[in-house]
Amino acid sequence: CVPCVLSFCSQAVTLMLGLLGGSTGEMSMCVALMLLLSASMAVSAVSFGRLDRVSDHELAEALIFNCPTLASPNASATSVHRLRAGDIKVIMSMGDSITAGFGMMGKHGDISKDLLEYRGQSWSIGVDAEAQTLATFFANYHSRQVGGSVGQHEVELCWGNLCPSKQRPELDVLNSAMSGAMMYDFAHGPGNQVQYLLTQLAMKREIIDMDNDWKLMTVLIGANDMCVECEEIDLEPTSPDDFEKYFREAMEALKAKVPRLLVNVGLMFNVSQIYKLSQTVPACKLIHRLLPIECMCAFKGGEDGDKHRRIMDQTAVEYNKRLEKVAAEFQAEPSDSFAIVTQPAMRDGELSHFPISFISTLDCFHPSLPAHQMMAKVMWNGIWTPRANKTTDFDFTAPFVCPTEHSIIPTG
């Protein structure tokens, strides 16, 4: 809502005026939100048109979860390497605006609804009625699942060291994601996501048995780190070494304090490809000319833009290598209570071949509701597929992989 944005900008201005040598880069998200309102209003009369490569009906049919329910296991698994669908009771997530569900419902013609995070429909953890998410898929197998986020609210911002927003536990529940977050924010700074989750878990002792309930954490991070990799703004880019360090620190904190935890890590796709997909729509081209600041490295035009997008793609490859490296380190330390599994399901997707409905009509950048459902489906299929057979091309048209009562989540 406009008052929320103005309030945030007021806080940001006050903070920056009070800091000697303050970084103007830390004002970028505030400016971006104000410009986004203007840019979106400027193109409000322009629609995406019928440019989808897949019909709405075909897309909807492909994304409906159709696996049969199963009887609950007679006894809980004793090892993280022997988990069945019905063992997962607690759902958690860490990430950025993608996992927060920012802008997924597109433009409404009502500013109070445009800058919202639709957490109840978030691809990995939303549990609103009729949501098609990783959390609701697992809920088919555990009737007492807890942790899923619900509803919607104004954007929660965390940008560099400027985090004026606070999580809303009554809606976010165990979804710690914040719009603007980078890998640093997982275990550091005012937006510390690990600390938020530890606090919430401690407050839910009546419904969560920390020692005995199995927990699934889904992680997707790196888009904002890539979006400042090339840039003139004053946010320090996240080097691959730092990306690895911050991820390792977050995982070490979780392993030390959260027993019976499986961490499910999505490898990043090439965010730069949103540029090519969005160029098929005049409205999106206009928005990105007016508002490149959401991801400056992706939306610049000309030769500089091509160079920046190549840098982003190279960074994505290196970030994914570091995620794999840290996961392998933990895998080499035998544990029946903690494991990290990387999921490459989205890594090599060619977004330019996707339906245009993949991107939000709000900003032609963030994933739309159908995109969240696609992400949930390919991640679910990846979870149940052995490493040697995992796909990497974001194939949301493949049938759902349905576990049986004997299916074990592969961790090797």
Side-chain angles (χ1 to χ4, degrees), residues 77-91:
T78 57
S79 171
V80 71
H81 306 293
R82 302 294 299 171
L83 291 178
R84 297 150 297 183
D87 287 315
I88 304 297
K89 178 182 176 181
V90 183
I91 298 288

Side-chain angles (χ1 to χ4, degrees), residues 307-348:
K307 180 183 73 174
H308 290 335
R309 285 184 284 279
R310 285 194 296 271
I311 292 173
M312 287 183 69
D313 292 346
Q314 292 163 3
T315 301
V317 170
E318 193 58 39
Y319 282 175
N320 285 336
K321 287 181 180 178
R322 301 309 179 93
L323 293 173
E324 296 268 26
K325 177 183 176 183
V326 174
E329 289 175 2
F330 280 90
Q331 192 73 15
E333 301 173 0
S335 171
D336 283 325
S337 183
F338 181 87
I340 303 175
V341 179
T342 56
Q343 303 291 352
M346 296 181 278
R347 187 189 67 196
D348 300 325

Side-chain angles (χ1 to χ4, degrees), residues 174-193:
L174 297 181
N175 179 356
S176 66
M178 298 190 77
S179 292
M182 301 184 188
M183 182 62 89
Y184 174 82
D185 300 300
F186 269 16
H188 296 277
N192 189 316
Q193 295 189 28

Side-chain angles (χ1 to χ4, degrees), residues 356-406:
I356 194 63
S357 56
F358 182 86
I359 51 178
S360 170
T361 57
L362 175 67
D363 59 5
C364 301
F365 177 58
H366 282 88
S368 64
L369 175 61
H372 277 259
Q373 295 170 343
M374 295 177 204
M375 294 166 66
K377 181 179 183 180
V378 299
M379 181 63 77
W380 170 265
N381 284 352
I383 286 173
W384 294 104
T385 304
R387 173 168 294 278
N389 299 325
K390 291 183 186 294
T391 62
T392 66
D393 58 352
F394 216 138
D395 185 7
F396 59 87
T397 63
F400 274 97
V401 175
C402 295
T404 70
E405 60 186 15
H406 303 295

